[in-house]
Each structure stands twice: as structure tokens, then as C-alpha cells.
Amino acid sequence: MAHIELKHVCKTYENGFEAVKDFNLEIGDKEFIIFVGPSGCGKSTTLRMIAGLEDISEGELLIDGERMNETEASDRDIAMVFQNYALYPHMTVRKNIGYSLHIRHEKKDVMEKKIQEAAEILGLEEVLDRKPSQLSGGQKQRVAMGRAIVRNPRVFLMDEPLSNLDAKLRGQMRVEIARLYHKLNSTFIYVTHDQTEAMTLGTRIVVMKDGVIQQADTPENLFRYPVNQFVAGFIGTPPMNFTEAVVKYDGNKIYLDSGSRRIDLAEEKAERLEKGGYIGRAVVLGIRPEHIALTPGEAEDAHGGGTVDVYEMLGSEAIVYIGKEKKEDKLVVKTDASVPVRAGEKVSCYYSLEHIHIFDRATGRTITN
Amino acid sequence: MKQTGNRIKQVFRFGILAVVSIFTAFPFLWMILSALKTKEEVMDVSAFFPAVPQWSNFISILVDSPLPGYIANSLLVSVVTVALQIVTGAMLAYAIVFFEFKGRKALFTLIMGTYMLPVAATYIPSYIILSRWGMLDTFRGLVISSTVSIFGIFLLRQSFMQVPKGLVEAARMDGGSHFRILWEIICPMTKSSFITFGLMSFISTYNNYMWPSLITRSSEKYLVSQGLRSFLIEGGAYGTEWALVMAGSAVIVVPLLVLFAFTQKWFINGIGGDTGIKG
């Protein structure tokens, strides 16, 4: 059982650098929380503050209602898996996994039983008597996880645990972590910059930028209803297309004027723009690559288009990069691989109007989702 | 051509090493040979080897002289001093490397600054302190005045800096106290530095002459260098019996040779093992 609360938490280093600013988050029991964001956004720092490896400059950390700011890392009953595994090189896998139990003076037979259980869960039975230097990257990663699960802690923290593995192994381990989460039924907090990991593992994702939470929501909501342009651009592969447009009113309808093209809007979105006083003002239009339909040739009523620059065939689907001269003409489209387009051909793009996102140009905030 | 050049280089290197080795080993060899000579043979430079090896010189040193007692004194003082220096050095080095606190660099600079002081400059204050504590002419005084070794702190600090901080953090998350982390995680990983430092500290304490002769007066508290000098050279029971002096010196060296034989492989080893941590 673990209920974690971070209240107005800040981290300021001695040189004045503010790594985390006014961080507020409540993490319920058995949640799988993902901290995601670009390098230097403060996600690892936040995790390390929860772990007790970094002091909290301001604010409060509560675990099950108890203030933890001053509690030593060793007394928080939290286990952590490090990016670089941090295995003790002079100890065998068995001793690495059992070290925390040895510290707690656990009885030998109980210790052995727990080590065996962890080894079985992670498929490490064969390598228990090996040293870390004799293990593969994936095995090292499993030992690091074994070290965490053997303790049965209140909270599991994972700091980019898969970033040192190759793509194939990363995929496998991702599935194993998901399986482990369901099996252990505990609270997980996981830091990554890989949004595939974030989207597939998390029950809730916290997107961070420059030490500030941008949005904390379910993967689906983050994808569908990003609160700002940063979140919209960060979540989703390939990223959302952004283009500048002016909100116009022709006496009958509110529409977006993007270059020479007219994009009509759904009624609800038009209403919001009107209420927000955006008519006549420039905004940012966002559309995800999978929400654009492609047709060969040039069409006057299309929302965008141009010459195909690069065509990436991915099997069942393809990524089409359109336009290379003008920035505003550039578009990335994810389409069915059966659509007959190739590099150098002219294409027209039609946006799925209900999936258009409109952002305030100055603040980047979402006006309509 | 290239092969010939390499061979010449190799011969050249070998030659230099051979000359240096001979220069290093010669006094030792001379000491052993002189220990097996008679008093007259030692002074007669025309014969390098003894006519008849005088093994009785060694028996005389071991049975009739107080030298074994001095060796025991030296061993006792050295073992305790080395143990204390390792504990204090490791704890200070750990704090300097793994603790985050204000003035950490300044503290290290200060510690290293004291290393720059000439040893003789510390004799008087140390003597006064020991005198006030009533520890002159005691083994306790000898040990306490050498509890901390600046060289040890420096050597262990350099070695600890090679240990990834992530390991210490992992051990803290596992519930380890700093003391436990130091002895169960850091120490085994930097074993070679500990052994190197222990050996060097042991040799210098064992052979120490100046400081022990300043604070010990009674002959039963003498360490080997003092004992050798006062008993065998300064017109003691043996006058200047050079053959016996050499035999005594050879006996004194034995504990050091034994210690070195057991620990020499650690000199070669650097920091060992694989943490799984990539650089």
C-alpha cells in the first residue's frame, strides 16, 4: 500500500539552477506512473527526490500521509532500479538480489526462498551463482529488477531502466515489466524519455518540461486531449504536424486560413474560437499524421499537399514526408501502405476535421481539442 | 627492418632494466652475504663470498640479542597503526567522495595542505600533546600519533572516485548504512588500494626511526630500527660487529618480505570487476 503526495515540491541546486518547479502530484496505490519528457526536464530529479537520493529544496513529500523529506533513503521502504543497473560487481547474482535481505538480517532459509522466488519470476535460476560481469545486458537488467522485487517494497522506482538495451530486448523487457506490475500489484513510478514505453506501460503519464508538469493524465487522454502544443508534439509517433493559420469568418462560417487553403471547422471548435475572441488572430493548427488522408495528384479543395519528399515503408503502414522547400508546406502523414504514392509524386492531403487541434500562438495552450 | 628495430629497442629496454635491477638488488645481496661472513671477512673487500658461511651469526641474533623483542614491538605497533590508518583513511575518503556537503573541496584541500608540511615541523606539537596526555614512552603514544595517514586518505580517495556513485545509491536504497556500504561495497571493490596502502603504511611504520626515537626512552619499547642502532651499532653488547649487524638487518627484513610475498599481486591489480555500469 502506498499513497504518495508531492506538494509544491521544488529542487534548486547550489548554483541556482531550478530543476523542478512547484511540482504537485498525487499518486494513488497501485498506479503505474510514468514521468516523461525531454532530457533535463527534471523527471529523474523528481524520482530521486522521492527515493531520498536528492534533498527536496521546498515543498513536501508524503508517503501514506507521513512526511518523508527528512527520512533517509534507506528508511523509506522504496526500491529503485537504476538506468545503469548498479549491480555490485564483487557479488554473485544471488548475493546481489539478497543484499537488502542480508542488511535486514533476514533468516537464511527465508532469504533463500525469496531469492528463488524472484529468480523464478525473472528467469534467473540458471545464473544465480554468476558474477555481473558474466551476464548479458538483459540479464543484468533482470538482476537489477530482482534486487527490487525481493524486498516487496511499498513503491518501485525505475529510472530509465531499458535505455541501455537494444531495441529488440527493450521490447521484450517492456512486456516483462508490464507483466511484473500486474503480478506484484504495487505502485510503480517509472522515468523514461521514450514515449512508446510511457504509452504502453503507464496507467497515468506525467509529461514534464523545464521542471514543470505540463499534463498528468491517462495515455489515451494525453494523446487525444493534449493541454498544450508541447504535449501534443511530444506524445505520438511521428509527432503531430503544426502549421500556422488565421481564424477567419466569411459571414457564414468560421474557418482556418492556412496559406492559401481553407480549412472548415466543426461547429464546436468554431464556437470556442469565437468565444475566445480568436477571429482574425493567428493560431497554430495541429493534426496528427494518422489523421490525414492522402490522395494522389493535386486537388484545389485539399487542406494541404505537395511533393512527396521521402516515403518510408514500414510494412502494413507507411510514413510519407511531404514538401521540403517551404516550412509551412511540410507535413508528415501516416498512411496505409496500400496507398499508391512514391517519392517525387504530387499528393493532396485531407485533414480529419474532428481531429484538428488548435493552439494559442503565444501561449501554446490548447484552444480546442 | 622494422623487426630488427623492434629487437634493438627490446634489447635496450632489457639492458636498462637489468642495470637498474642489479643496482637495486646488490645492497640486499651484499647484506645477506656479509651476514654469513666473519668480522674480518666483512672488512676484507677482496672476497665477495664468505669462505665458510657463518650461520651462527643468525643464531646469535635470534637467541642472544634482544632483536626478536624489537621485531615483536615493531610488528605490534605497525599492525595496530595500519589498522587504524585504514579505518580512519577509508572513512574520511568516503565522506569526501560520496557525501555532499558545503566546504567539501575546502576540507580536502586543507587535508592535503597538511601533507605539504615537513614532518619535522609536526614533531614538537605532537611531542607536547603526547607529553600532556602522559603518553611519552608508550606504544599507545606511538600508535595514537599515527592514527591518520594523509597519504592514505589521498590514495583511497583517488580509488573511491573510480567507483560509480550509482552503486552507493543502490546500496542506500537497499537499506545499507554508510558504514556498511563502505566496508561491504566500496572496500571489496577497491581492495587493491587498501592492500597497497596497508603495505606501504606497514613498511614505513615498521622501519620508522626518527619519531619513535624521540618519544621512546626505555629500551624495552624500542622498535627495530632504534634497537638495531642502539644495541648493535652504538657500541652496545656487540660493539660494531658488522657481520651481526648485517644478520640482524636481514632478520628484520623477513616479516616485510613475507608480507610482500602475500600481497604483491594486488599491486598490479587495478580497480576490479564489472558493475554493469557503462562509462
Side-chain angles (χ1 to χ4, degrees):
Chain A
M1 291 289 285
H3 182 87
I4 301 170
E5 285 171 86
L6 292 119
K7 291 180 174 174
H8 305 288
V9 168
C10 298
K11 176 69 191 179
T12 311
Y13 286 101
E14 265 182 39
N15 60 8
F17 174 69
E18 286 182 80
V20 178
K21 299 165 199 164
D22 197 27
F23 191 101
N24 288 287
L25 187 70
E26 205 166 312
I27 300 169
D29 188 35
K30 292 170 192 167
E31 270 201 276
F32 198 134
I33 293 285
I34 310 272
F35 291 165
V36 72
S39 294
C41 71
K43 54 190 189 298
S44 284
T45 310
T46 310
L47 191 84
R48 289 169 60 81
M49 284 195 283
I50 297 173
L53 298 174
E54 294 276 356
D55 290 333
I56 296 171
S57 310
E58 266 177 66
E60 225 178 10
L61 167 71
L62 305 174
I63 301 182
D64 292 331
E66 196 184 334
R67 185 182 153 98
M68 284 285 145
N69 292 41
E70 293 79 23
T71 309
E72 273 284 316
S74 48
D75 300 327
R76 292 190 186 192
D77 193 17
I78 290 175
M80 183 157 166
V81 177
F82 290 81
Q83 181 177 3
N84 296 309
Y85 322 131
L87 304 181
Y88 311 127
H90 55 291
M91 294 185 191
T92 59
V93 169
R94 187 188 303 277
K95 285 193 173 164
N96 261 285
I97 294 178
Y99 187 61
S100 59
L101 304 174
H102 160 73
I103 288 173
R104 282 168 184 74
H105 305 291
E106 197 83 70
K107 278 186 187 161
K108 268 201 172 171
D109 52 331
V110 178
M111 205 159 108
E112 192 52 39
K113 198 176 154 224
K114 286 186 177 176
I115 294 170
Q116 281 297 340
E117 275 171 11
E120 270 171 40
I121 292 171
L122 297 161
L124 289 169
E125 299 104 310
E126 304 295 317
V127 298
L128 276 176
D129 294 314
R130 288 197 200 157
K131 293 262 178 82
S133 57
Q134 298 166 300
L135 303 177
S136 67
Q139 285 171 328
K140 282 179 191 169
Q141 182 55 56
R142 284 198 187 97
V143 177
M145 293 209 288
R147 210 162 58 174
I149 64 175
V150 79
R151 288 175 46 190
N152 195 20
R154 288 197 283 191
V155 188
F156 284 93
L157 306 181
M158 298 194 175
D159 189 3
E160 305 206 28
L162 307 184
S163 60
N164 280 345
L165 304 178
D166 62 52
K168 194 179 167 196
L169 206 51
R170 206 155 53 219
Q172 285 174 11
M173 290 304 293
R174 206 168 58 216
V175 175
E176 283 193 33
I177 290 176
R179 209 174 280 149
L180 205 63
Y181 167 64
H182 291 295
K183 193 163 193 162
L184 298 175
N185 220 0
S186 190
T187 308
F188 278 57
I189 306 176
Y190 188 106
V191 162
T192 182
H193 62 261
D194 180 324
Q195 53 141 319
T196 314
E197 278 172 34
M199 296 293 279
T200 51
L201 289 172
T203 54
R204 203 145 57 101
I205 300 174
V206 179
V207 183
M208 293 180 71
K209 184 193 171 202
D210 300 332
V212 177
I213 296 183
Q214 302 294 309
Q215 188 172 359
D217 214 328
T218 61
E220 197 187 1
N221 282 349
L222 278 183
F223 187 76
R224 287 194 179 180
Y225 312 112
V227 296
N228 59 31
Q229 199 179 333
F230 175 79
V231 176
F234 194 80
I235 300 291
T237 326
M240 187 184 275
N241 295 289
F242 295 110
T243 178
E244 293 212 348
V246 178
V247 184
K248 287 191 174 170
Y249 179 61
D250 62 2
N252 183 28
K253 263 188 151 185
I254 293 172
Y255 67 96
L256 293 177
D257 184 355
S258 166
S260 53
R261 300 175 195 271
R262 175 185 169 120
I263 301 155
D264 286 320
L265 292 170
E267 209 169 297
E268 188 202 348
K269 291 188 199 294
E271 248 174 52
R272 282 210 201 161
L273 285 173
E274 192 186 3
K275 274 187 190 165
Y278 282 95
I279 292 173
R281 284 168 62 185
V283 291
V284 176
L285 180 157
I287 183 83
R288 294 201 182 276
E290 50 273 43
H291 295 145
I292 302 174
L294 270 189
T295 56
E298 286 178 288
E300 285 222 339
D301 63 337
H303 299 137
T307 309
V308 174
D309 183 20
V310 177
Y311 178 88
E312 282 181 351
M313 169 67 184
L314 301 177
S316 61
E317 55 193 19
I319 313 283
V320 185
Y321 297 84
I322 300 163
K324 57 180 172 182
E325 286 90 25
K326 286 192 240 161
K327 196 185 159 207
E328 57 268 28
D329 284 347
K330 279 189 178 177
L331 274 177
V332 181
V333 180
K334 196 191 236 178
T335 179
D336 199 280
S338 60
V339 175
V341 291
R342 290 291 175 267
E345 287 178 6
K346 296 263 184 202
V347 288
S348 297
C349 301
Y350 292 91
Y351 303 161
S352 162
L353 296 183
E354 58 179 312
H355 290 113
I356 282 177
H357 301 260
I358 302 167
F359 306 97
D360 186 292
R361 195 161 159 252
T363 63
R365 285 188 150 199
T366 299
I367 305 166
T368 68
N369 266 318
Chain B
M1 274 302 282
K2 202 179 172 189
Q3 228 175 2
T4 320
N6 280 345
R7 185 158 294 172
I8 291 170
K9 266 190 197 168
Q10 220 171 358
V11 169
F12 183 70
R13 279 184 202 148
F14 182 81
I16 289 183
L17 287 175
V19 170
V20 173
S21 304
I22 289 168
F23 269 99
T24 314
F26 185 75
F28 186 76
L29 185 68
W30 198 3
M31 177 182 76
I32 301 290
L33 289 173
S34 301
L36 294 169
K37 288 178 180 175
T38 60
K39 190 179 177 183
E40 291 71 30
E41 277 178 320
V42 173
M43 305 313 285
D44 178 11
V45 285
S46 62
F48 187 62
F49 293 99
V52 180
Q54 303 294 313
W55 298 108
S56 57
N57 287 346
F58 283 98
I59 295 166
S60 168
I61 283 293
L62 290 173
V63 178
D64 303 331
S65 84
L67 209 61
Y70 299 152
I71 292 176
N73 288 352
S74 272
L75 284 176
L76 173 75
V77 170
S78 304
V79 167
V80 179
T81 305
V82 167
L84 283 172
Q85 286 187 352
I86 285 178
V87 172
T88 55
M91 284 179 12
L92 265 158
Y94 182 91
I96 289 168
V97 175
F98 297 111
F99 283 179
E100 295 288 339
F101 58 92
K102 273 186 186 168
R104 186 171 67 148
K105 278 186 186 164
L107 176 68
F108 182 63
T109 312
L110 187 73
I111 290 171
M112 289 317 292
T114 61
Y115 198 36
M116 312 295 162
L117 280 177
V119 185
T122 64
Y123 284 166
I124 294 173
S126 302
Y127 188 92
I128 294 170
I129 292 169
L130 286 185
S131 151
R132 285 192 182 154
W133 288 354
M135 285 187 187
L136 289 178
D137 202 24
T138 62
F139 288 147
R140 262 183 307 142
L142 263 178
V143 169
I144 281 179
S145 55
S146 312
T147 310
V148 180
S149 159
I150 305 297
F151 171 70
I153 296 170
F154 176 72
L155 189 78
L156 294 176
R157 174 204 178 243
Q158 295 308 103
S159 172
F160 289 2
M161 281 167 72
Q162 309 292 317
V163 176
K165 280 198 171 180
L167 278 184
V168 174
E169 292 178 344
R172 281 177 67 196
M173 295 303 296
D174 271 345
S177 63
H178 286 297
F179 196 74
R180 192 185 269 274
I181 295 169
L182 170 59
W183 298 112
E184 290 185 0
I185 306 291
I186 308 296
C187 178
M189 286 181 69
T190 52
K191 210 185 316 183
S192 59
S193 299
F194 273 90
I195 291 174
T196 306
F197 167 56
L199 190 56
M200 291 170 84
S201 163
F202 187 90
I203 292 169
S204 73
T205 314
Y206 186 84
N207 287 332
N208 200 359
Y209 174 72
M210 196 61 197
W211 178 240
S213 43
L214 282 178
I215 66 163
T216 47
R217 254 178 243 117
S218 38
S219 61
E220 68 272 18
K221 300 271 166 54
Y222 280 175
L223 303 191
V224 278
S225 307
Q226 263 173 296
L228 190 72
R229 182 174 168 76
S230 73
F231 197 80
L232 298 176
I233 300 173
E234 282 175 351
Y238 290 88
T240 312
E241 290 277 355
W242 284 112
L244 291 173
V245 171
M246 290 301 166
S249 303
V251 169
I252 285 169
V253 174
V254 171
L256 298 182
L257 287 180
V258 171
L259 191 66
F260 186 74
F262 279 111
T263 55
Q264 63 161 329
K265 74 170 181 173
W266 295 101
F267 280 114
I268 306 154
N269 278 1
I271 183 165
D274 182 357
T275 61
I277 288 186
K278 294 180 183 177

Short mmCIF file of all heavy atoms in Angstrom, two decimals, chain B residues 139-158:
data_model
loop_
_atom_site.label_atom_id
_atom_site.label_comp_id
_atom_site.label_asym_id
_atom_site.label_seq_id
_atom_site.Cartn_x
_atom_site.Cartn_y
_atom_site.Cartn_z
N PHE B 139 53.65 2.55 23.82
CA PHE B 139 53.20 2.13 22.49
C PHE B 139 51.93 2.89 22.10
O PHE B 139 51.73 3.22 20.94
CB PHE B 139 52.89 0.62 22.48
CG PHE B 139 54.12 -0.23 22.55
CD1 PHE B 139 54.10 -1.45 23.20
CD2 PHE B 139 55.31 0.18 21.95
CE1 PHE B 139 55.23 -2.25 23.26
CE2 PHE B 139 56.45 -0.61 22.02
CZ PHE B 139 56.41 -1.82 22.68
N ARG B 140 51.08 3.18 23.10
CA ARG B 140 49.85 3.92 22.84
C ARG B 140 50.17 5.26 22.17
O ARG B 140 49.54 5.66 21.21
CB ARG B 140 49.11 4.19 24.15
CG ARG B 140 48.01 3.19 24.42
CD ARG B 140 47.29 3.56 25.70
NE ARG B 140 48.22 3.71 26.82
CZ ARG B 140 48.11 4.64 27.77
NH1 ARG B 140 47.12 5.50 27.74
NH2 ARG B 140 48.99 4.73 28.75
N GLY B 141 51.18 5.94 22.72
CA GLY B 141 51.59 7.22 22.18
C GLY B 141 52.06 7.09 20.74
O GLY B 141 51.70 7.90 19.87
N LEU B 142 52.83 6.03 20.50
CA LEU B 142 53.33 5.80 19.14
C LEU B 142 52.19 5.59 18.16
O LEU B 142 52.16 6.13 17.06
CB LEU B 142 54.22 4.55 19.13
CG LEU B 142 55.71 4.74 19.24
CD1 LEU B 142 56.41 3.40 19.28
CD2 LEU B 142 56.25 5.57 18.07
N VAL B 143 51.22 4.79 18.60
CA VAL B 143 50.09 4.46 17.72
C VAL B 143 49.18 5.67 17.52
O VAL B 143 48.84 6.02 16.39
CB VAL B 143 49.30 3.26 18.32
CG1 VAL B 143 47.99 3.07 17.57
CG2 VAL B 143 50.13 1.99 18.24
N ILE B 144 48.83 6.31 18.62
CA ILE B 144 47.86 7.43 18.53
C ILE B 144 48.41 8.57 17.68
O ILE B 144 47.67 9.20 16.92
CB ILE B 144 47.47 7.89 19.95
CG1 ILE B 144 46.43 6.90 20.47
CG2 ILE B 144 46.91 9.31 19.96
CD1 ILE B 144 45.93 7.16 21.85
N SER B 145 49.72 8.80 17.77
CA SER B 145 50.27 9.91 16.98
C SER B 145 50.30 9.58 15.49
O SER B 145 50.55 10.45 14.67
CB SER B 145 51.68 10.26 17.48
OG SER B 145 52.48 9.09 17.45
N SER B 146 50.01 8.33 15.11
CA SER B 146 50.00 7.99 13.67
C SER B 146 48.64 7.42 13.25
O SER B 146 48.55 6.64 12.32
CB SER B 146 51.06 6.94 13.37
OG SER B 146 52.27 7.31 13.93
N THR B 147 47.58 7.83 13.94
CA THR B 147 46.26 7.25 13.66
C THR B 147 45.76 7.58 12.26
O THR B 147 45.06 6.79 11.63
CB THR B 147 45.23 7.78 14.69
OG1 THR B 147 45.79 7.59 15.96
CG2 THR B 147 43.92 7.06 14.58
N VAL B 148 46.09 8.78 11.79
CA VAL B 148 45.58 9.20 10.48
C VAL B 148 46.73 9.39 9.52
O VAL B 148 47.73 10.02 9.86
CB VAL B 148 44.78 10.52 10.61
CG1 VAL B 148 44.25 10.96 9.26
CG2 VAL B 148 43.63 10.34 11.59
N SER B 149 46.57 8.82 8.33
CA SER B 149 47.60 9.00 7.31
C SER B 149 47.03 9.81 6.15
O SER B 149 46.06 9.41 5.52
CB SER B 149 48.07 7.64 6.80
OG SER B 149 48.66 7.77 5.53
N ILE B 150 47.62 10.96 5.91
CA ILE B 150 47.13 11.82 4.83
C ILE B 150 47.32 11.12 3.49
O ILE B 150 46.44 11.15 2.62
CB ILE B 150 47.89 13.18 4.83
CG1 ILE B 150 47.78 13.85 6.20
CG2 ILE B 150 47.35 14.10 3.74
CD1 ILE B 150 46.40 14.21 6.63
N PHE B 151 48.45 10.45 3.36
CA PHE B 151 48.70 9.73 2.11
C PHE B 151 47.60 8.68 1.89
O PHE B 151 47.10 8.49 0.78
CB PHE B 151 50.07 9.06 2.16
CG PHE B 151 50.31 8.12 1.02
CD1 PHE B 151 50.48 8.60 -0.27
CD2 PHE B 151 50.32 6.74 1.23
CE1 PHE B 151 50.67 7.73 -1.33
CE2 PHE B 151 50.51 5.86 0.18
CZ PHE B 151 50.69 6.36 -1.10
N GLY B 152 47.21 8.02 2.98
CA GLY B 152 46.15 7.01 2.89
C GLY B 152 44.84 7.61 2.44
O GLY B 152 44.15 7.05 1.58
N ILE B 153 44.49 8.76 3.00
CA ILE B 153 43.24 9.42 2.61
C ILE B 153 43.29 9.74 1.12
O ILE B 153 42.34 9.49 0.38
CB ILE B 153 43.03 10.72 3.42
CG1 ILE B 153 42.88 10.40 4.90
CG2 ILE B 153 41.82 11.49 2.91
CD1 ILE B 153 42.92 11.61 5.81
N PHE B 154 44.43 10.27 0.70
CA PHE B 154 44.57 10.65 -0.71
C PHE B 154 44.46 9.42 -1.62
O PHE B 154 43.70 9.41 -2.58
CB PHE B 154 45.92 11.35 -0.91
CG PHE B 154 46.20 11.68 -2.34
CD1 PHE B 154 45.50 12.69 -2.98
CD2 PHE B 154 47.15 10.97 -3.06
CE1 PHE B 154 45.75 12.98 -4.31
CE2 PHE B 154 47.40 11.26 -4.39
CZ PHE B 154 46.70 12.27 -5.01
N LEU B 155 45.20 8.38 -1.28
CA LEU B 155 45.21 7.18 -2.13
C LEU B 155 43.81 6.55 -2.21
O LEU B 155 43.32 6.22 -3.29
CB LEU B 155 46.20 6.16 -1.55
CG LEU B 155 46.47 4.96 -2.43
CD1 LEU B 155 47.43 5.32 -3.54
CD2 LEU B 155 47.05 3.81 -1.62
N LEU B 156 43.15 6.44 -1.06
CA LEU B 156 41.82 5.82 -1.05
C LEU B 156 40.79 6.71 -1.73
O LEU B 156 39.89 6.23 -2.42
CB LEU B 156 41.39 5.51 0.39
CG LEU B 156 42.25 4.43 1.08
CD1 LEU B 156 41.82 4.24 2.51
CD2 LEU B 156 42.18 3.10 0.33
N ARG B 157 40.95 8.02 -1.57
CA ARG B 157 40.02 8.94 -2.24
C ARG B 157 40.11 8.75 -3.75
O ARG B 157 39.10 8.66 -4.45
CB ARG B 157 40.35 10.37 -1.88
CG ARG B 157 39.52 11.39 -2.66
CD ARG B 157 40.23 12.72 -2.72
NE ARG B 157 39.50 13.69 -3.48
CZ ARG B 157 39.96 14.24 -4.61
NH1 ARG B 157 41.12 13.88 -5.10
NH2 ARG B 157 39.25 15.13 -5.25
N GLN B 158 41.34 8.70 -4.26
CA GLN B 158 41.53 8.53 -5.71
C GLN B 158 40.86 7.24 -6.17
O GLN B 158 40.24 7.18 -7.22
CB GLN B 158 43.02 8.48 -6.06
CG GLN B 158 43.78 9.75 -5.79
CD GLN B 158 43.14 10.97 -6.41
OE1 GLN B 158 42.49 11.75 -5.71
NE2 GLN B 158 43.28 11.16 -7.70
#
